[in-house]
Amino acid sequence: MRHRNLWEGMCSYENLLLAYKKARKHKTTRQYVLEFEANLQNNLLQLQKELVSQKYKPKPLKTFIIADPKIRKISKSDFRDRIVHHALCNIIEPIFERTFICDSFANRKGKGALNAIERFGNFKRKASRNNSRKCFVLKADIRHYFEKVDHAILTRIINKKIKDPRILSLIKIILQNYKTRLLGKGMPLGNLTSQFFANVYLNELDYFVKQNLKAKYYIRYVDDFVILHHDKGVLSEYQRKINLFLSRNLELELHPDKSRITTLHRGICFLGFKIFYYHRLLKKSNARKMRRKLQDLKKEYCFGNVPYDIIYDSAEGWLAYAKHANAYRLRKEFACRFEKDFPNEISTKEINRLEKWLGDKKLG
């Protein structure tokens, strides 16, 4: 089924208002959001006018470097352009979501890294027959993925489902706003559209692995994927065929240093955990990253740039994440440090929980 008349829904005021609400999430106190919000209706109507007349042009991306833990180049779109990205994804994401395989876990509702880890646990039991036979894992990574995505190939893949020329034209405008050394290639890290297009592009790989290779135990998270099997030779053949498919069909290749086959009993590093059969550990780099983030948030808090609620949510989220590893001491140490850094603060969540508890106690 090809979807031809999507532009009217894309440009509707209701869709742009919804996109604005999504774009401002967790950023309501930022100055650029407050400035846009001060004249919200006129700003959205002006954006709508530019889109309808097809005169919309995005502003240049702002690029900065982060160490997370490895050095990455992040390209940030203007807030106005982020609204357009959300508006576009509101319309086309449901169309492609129906085509994605169950075991693609990145940037999808109801999926995420923790669900991917749980799925890995399910697969390791099946592939090893409850640890009664040796289990091998192909852990692979696509080399320079976001820098190598080919615009023409991506457009051709999207065109299989989307036939509205105005939608396709907008997608090209968004893609071409990111400049790289390779003409017609690359997507910026940090854009919502990049996250979505990353899944669309590698959905081709997902179908090849599932339909052509008939791999049962396959999980992908963005450009990282694992395949489990009891036969190392089968995984070696999978690796060879996947590399050939990527080269011929998507102009990509597996990272030679980060793609290897190993046994499960040695532990598999995947999505921030080192996974063994009977337990899993949190990667040391993950803990270091969270400590650095907490220190950065503390500095911002001292300058009045970040409210305590955001810091509390971040810490609570990491502790919930760390619970999925055998890391009791690490979590206890982190919680103690957090309480020491913010001894006199209480979050809105904590107040709501206390009020609910007091209310339940009165009713009891």
Side-chain angles (χ1 to χ4, degrees), residues 103 105 110-126 219 228 270-271 273 275 280 320-321 323-325:
D103 292 317
F105 282 89
K111 297 292 183 178
L114 293 179
N115 284 320
I117 293 297
E118 292 303 315
R119 186 67 161 168
F120 188 99
N122 182 29
F123 281 173
K124 75 183 180 184
R125 288 187 288 274
K126 289 182 177 180
I219 300 169
L228 293 82
F270 188 49
L271 303 181
F273 295 93
I275 306 170
R280 53 182 173 244
Y321 175 80
K323 275 185 179 179
H324 291 263

Side-chain angles (χ1 to χ4, degrees), residues 220-285:
R220 181 177 64 79
Y221 193 94
V222 194
D223 59 331
D224 288 343
F225 66 87
V226 292
I227 308 177
L228 293 82
H229 202 280
H230 66 274
D231 189 328
K232 185 177 181 180
V234 170
L235 289 180
S236 295
E237 187 64 9
Y238 284 173
Q239 185 174 3
R240 184 187 69 80
K241 288 181 177 180
I242 287 170
N243 227 347
L244 197 60
F245 173 84
L246 289 172
S247 175
R248 288 178 175 175
N249 295 274
L250 301 176
E251 295 190 10
L252 300 171
E253 63 176 336
L254 295 180
H255 199 296
D257 300 325
K258 297 180 181 179
S259 303
R260 61 176 66 88
I261 298 168
T262 187
T263 55
L264 183 59
H265 81 270
R266 289 188 173 184
I268 306 300
C269 290
F270 188 49
L271 303 181
F273 295 93
K274 188 161 187 180
I275 306 170
F276 299 85
Y277 188 83
Y278 289 109
H279 67 288
R280 53 182 173 244
L281 303 175
L282 205 62
K283 287 179 67 176
K284 291 180 180 178
S285 59

Side-chain angles (χ1 to χ4, degrees), residues 162-177:
I162 306 295
K163 282 295 181 181
D164 191 318
R166 294 160 296 184
I167 293 285
L168 294 170
S169 176
L170 177 61
I171 290 170
K172 288 178 182 177
I173 288 170
I174 292 171
L175 290 172
Q176 290 168 2
N177 194 41

Side-chain angles (χ1 to χ4, degrees), residues 14-135:
E14 293 76 13
N15 186 43
L16 291 174
L17 181 60
L18 175 62
Y20 155 74
K21 290 176 180 178
K22 288 183 176 181
R24 75 192 280 267
K25 194 173 182 181
H26 304 307
K27 299 176 180 66
T28 53
T29 60
R30 300 288 175 88
Q31 186 61 34
Y32 57 80
V33 176
L34 295 173
E35 289 173 2
F36 192 93
E37 196 173 49
N39 197 13
L40 178 61
Q41 187 175 26
N42 286 341
N43 284 332
L44 289 180
L45 287 172
Q46 177 60 33
L47 188 56
Q48 182 186 43
K49 182 180 177 182
E50 291 176 24
L51 287 166
V52 170
S53 63
Q54 294 184 269
K55 293 180 179 178
Y56 163 76
K57 289 184 179 179
K59 292 184 179 180
L61 299 168
K62 292 182 179 178
T63 301
F64 53 95
I65 305 297
I66 63 169
D68 190 28
K70 64 182 180 181
I71 294 174
R72 293 176 183 270
K73 184 176 78 170
I74 305 296
S75 296
K76 187 178 179 182
S77 293
D78 185 78
F79 180 67
R80 192 170 182 268
D81 298 325
R82 278 179 260 166
I83 294 173
V84 175
H85 297 170
H86 278 280
L88 175 64
C89 288
N90 286 346
I91 298 300
I92 67 173
E93 188 172 4
I95 296 168
F96 284 94
E97 176 63 30
R98 294 191 289 267
T99 71
F100 294 156
I101 67 167
C102 175
D103 292 317
S104 166
F105 282 89
N107 308 309
R108 296 175 64 195
K109 290 178 182 178
K111 297 292 183 178
L114 293 179
N115 284 320
I117 293 297
E118 292 303 315
R119 186 67 161 168
F120 188 99
N122 182 29
F123 281 173
K124 75 183 180 184
R125 288 187 288 274
K126 289 182 177 180
S128 68
R129 289 183 180 170
N130 291 324
N131 210 24
S132 64
R133 68 179 177 186
K134 204 167 189 178
C135 180

Side-chain angles (χ1 to χ4, degrees), residues 139-178:
K139 166 68 173 67
D141 178 280
I142 296 173
R143 189 174 193 177
H144 304 311
Y145 174 50
F146 279 86
E147 290 294 312
K148 292 289 185 68
V149 168
D150 185 274
H151 295 177
I153 295 173
L154 175 59
T155 304
R156 189 162 64 245
I157 293 168
I158 293 171
N159 196 33
K160 293 177 185 177
K161 288 287 179 184
I162 306 295
K163 282 295 181 181
D164 191 318
R166 294 160 296 184
I167 293 285
L168 294 170
S169 176
L170 177 61
I171 290 170
K172 288 178 182 177
I173 288 170
I174 292 171
L175 290 172
Q176 290 168 2
N177 194 41
Y178 181 59

Side-chain angles (χ1 to χ4, degrees), residues 312-324:
Y312 180 85
D313 288 347
S314 181
E316 186 182 49
W318 185 83
L319 285 169
Y321 175 80
K323 275 185 179 179
H324 291 263

